Amino acid sequence: MRRHCLRPAFLALSAVLTAITLFVSPGAAQVPGESSSPPLAVDSTASALVDTSGGAMADSLAPPPPPMLPDSAAPAAAPVRIGTIDVAGNARTESERVMRTFEVAPGTRYTKDALRRGLRKLFGLGLFRDVWIEEFPRGESVDLLIHVVERPRVGSIVFNGNKKRETSELEKKLSVRTGDILTPAMFQTQVDSLLKYYRDEGFSRAHVTAAADTNAATNEAALRFQVDEGEKVRVKRIRFEGASAFSYKRLRKAMKTKTKGLFGGGDIKDESFTDDRDKLESFYHDQGYRDARVLATDLTPGARPRDLTLVVRLEEGRRYRTGTVGWTGATVVDSASLRRLPQAKPGEIYNASRIGRGRDEAFALYAEHGYLYVNIEPREAVRDSLVDITYTVTEGKPSHVRLVNILGNRGTREKVIRREINIHEGDLFKRSTIVRSRDDLMRLGIFEDVQPDVSPAESTDVDVVLRVKEKQVGTASAGAGYTGDTGVTGFLELAHNNVLGNAQSLSLHLERGGKREDYFLSFTEPWFRDTPTLLGFSVFNTRTERDLYEEKRVGGSVRLGRPLPWPDYSRGSIAYRLEDVTISGQNFTLQDSIAFSGQPLGVAVRTSSVETVFNRNTNDHPQYPTKGTRLDLNDEFAGGPFGGKVNFHKHRYEGRVYFKSPIKGVTTMLRGRLGILGGYADQSSAPPVYERFRLGGGSTADPLRGYDDYQVVPGKFVQNVYRTEIAGIDSVTTPGVKDTTFRSVFTGRLRYPGGRFMTLYTGEQQFPIVHPLHGVLFFDAGNTWDLWREIKPFDLKMGAGLGLRMEIPLLGKIGLDYGYGFNRDDGPRPKVNFLFGNVSF
């Protein structure tokens, strides 16, 4: 009964609310087909729909609440649908793009929420300064007209006031270009970019403002930058306040900012001051001043307006020493192993870097045991002037490899990569195996870079990712090459170190010039029948004009090799070589004829030899290593049980070591080489002349830079050499003497074509200049001897100089060495060697 009494009151209240709604928002009650509703717009900042007639948007879009109806009310009316949709105001933007972004299609149900979402998406394009919707009810549908006001586009960019920097340089610092849409946020972005450029150039007082003049007819804006460069300033002095523990010179050395001098310096950069703060604090913390900090860095005027003084205010605090050092929580790695790591020692001056190094070394040690998610926290406790350090270890669970993913190999088969790596699915993670796999892949010579990465998998397991970047290993080139050994030659070369993606090597080299002819074909299969067995062959026909003679070789070889189980990183191979060698004289002098006595000239001499090779290579890069060692042992045995017409045994041993130089970014290389040539005890013939060791030049088999090719050979003083001992020399006649058969024809110093013993030492400082150009500073020392008793290990010919190295895809390697020979026979002087084509560094 009470409910029926309240119903008239509710009906009356509903009528009052309806009247108020109609009064405040009359368009909401318009009948379809009558006058249009007021347009709707969105505020570009808040993205909220508003009524342009002045009413509140939320109310105007929401339909008035229906009156309370009796229980037997009539059913609700059919929903209103969207009719046609048109776009107005767009000059550059296509209507289809507007409607596609609006995402309200004709025929769909009309809702205010859908219109709001569509307007927000249109504003999100960033193309329009204003957007609103005008509605036209028509029967049971509503036609929509989308009004857009496009933002102006940049028509021109003008700089005013810049005198010390060119406009072209300033334009490069802008991210906006003519034709871009002009937005309010664009102004500050461009101003900040220009200010940063000026500050980096030393104009710390520069001021830049931006403005735009819009042409209403074309809707294009002229973007103007007003520049006040100010005077270029530099840091002329640095003053430290609050510093007493260290000298001014030592503190300055720890900073990145340098004062202006004859060769630059004095640049004012905000990031440099931030680095200075960190560097100074780190310096103090490593010298025992644990509490030291930089309070402020200020720039104050100097003697002249352009000269500034950088004032660094410090608070040093007291100096500490290291107290006790301990480890807790370690069970996988024993405490003795942790204590042996490089770290802070009790009684030493407190050193924050050594404390951090101890933690990093422990991380690496745990990673070697498979624990990647270990947590190591060095905790410090201060007591008087001592700092006790306790490394707290939380070990967690070991990590296994779930997957090994290889990315980036486009031309190389995946099996070629997987057979070289040492880590596989299911293995316990070990950091050393990741590093070893990377180095093994780099040593293949077919990758420019290999980057290993680790990503988390399920639980504590990880996925290993190897990202490889392949090199351009194929060459198909024709042109000219030059070396000091062969002179100018024309060549045609077809070579590939990764045939069909299988890491096979194929090379065809055709070269011809005044001093050299070289026809060479070789093929190498590194994994014969999918086993780590190397199989290769080569055939060749070469003619080379040396300084004293012409050498021609025709033959071929086969080679077989495998990795060795010990020592690690090592490989052994054996090769058989069969060739015919012909030596021809080149305008022999009397002394040359004496030196070549016993050597068949103009006749092909067959050589049958077996060569064994041992190689151990731990370098991290095939061309420009930064660390590692390389050992090569070559032993060749010709004749004897292997047949042929010549008999000798030849040994060439070489060792290299690469390590970081004290100079940052520079690699030190030390190399030693030893050569021995001998005959067999039961053979009376001497080893052939063409197998002897001859040093000199930059592109020969045994280079000694600063000297001519093959210039460093042994010499010997001889006397009373008779005609009958010299092959190819006519009879010597002397007036008044009838019989000259036993007359001596030469007494003096005899220069041999080469020596039986050789030693060569090299030291280099290698450094990158700009990719792919590298530089090298070198020192060479070496010599040759003919007899064992003549060897003087410290009697060496020395040379030094500098060189450039470059590897160009499709062309190969280019090198230039400028060496100065200190012990030349013709006096100290420089020698330039230019290397191009198929050369080795």
Side-chain angles (χ1 to χ4, degrees), residues 704 707 712 759-761 780-785 792-798 823:
L704 181 57
Y707 294 81
V712 181
T759 184
L760 182 62
Y761 306 100
D780 294 337
N783 209 343
T784 60
W785 301 272
K792 298 179 181 180
F794 300 103
D795 180 19
L796 303 176
K797 308 292 186 180
M798 292 178 285
N823 308 105

Side-chain angles (χ1 to χ4, degrees), residues 52 58 64 73 138 235 273 279 384 395 440-441 459 509 598 646 654 671 682 805:
T52 58
R138 182 170 54 83
V235 175
F273 295 154
K279 287 178 175 292
D384 295 331
E395 295 176 333
D440 287 346
L441 289 174
S459 183
H509 185 80
V646 294
E654 178 179 316
R671 178 180 64 194
D682 58 344
R805 304 285 185 265

Side-chain angles (χ1 to χ4, degrees), residues 80-93:
V80 179
R81 298 286 175 177
I82 301 295
T84 62
I85 303 176
D86 294 314
V87 182
N90 55 316
R92 293 186 177 91
T93 309

Side-chain angles (χ1 to χ4, degrees), residues 195-215:
L195 286 176
K196 183 181 184 303
Y197 168 71
Y198 269 105
R199 286 168 183 162
D200 290 344
E201 292 295 308
F203 296 88
S204 61
R205 298 173 181 175
H207 182 67
V208 180
T209 58
D213 300 326
T214 304
N215 187 330

Side-chain angles (χ1 to χ4, degrees), residues 92-93 97 125-128 150-157 171 173-187 189-190 212-214 218-223 225:
R92 293 186 177 91
T93 309
R97 184 179 182 184
L125 290 175
L127 302 176
F128 307 117
E150 292 179 323
R151 295 187 183 276
R153 293 181 180 267
V154 178
S156 61
I157 301 175
E171 289 176 345
K173 306 303 173 183
L174 300 179
S175 60
V176 63
R177 298 291 182 266
T178 55
D180 292 350
I181 296 173
L182 186 64
T183 62
M186 181 185 297
F187 287 88
T189 302
Q190 308 309 311
D213 300 326
T214 304
T218 60
N219 200 27
E220 290 187 346
L223 189 57
F225 292 96

Side-chain angles (χ1 to χ4, degrees), residues 481 483 491 493 507 509 511 516 518 520 699 811-813 835-840:
T483 66
F491 68 89
E493 185 173 54
S507 178
H509 185 80
E511 185 175 3
R516 180 182 179 88
D518 187 3
F520 178 83
S699 58
L811 291 180
K813 304 169 187 176
L835 314 176
F836 180 76
N838 188 20
V839 297
S840 60

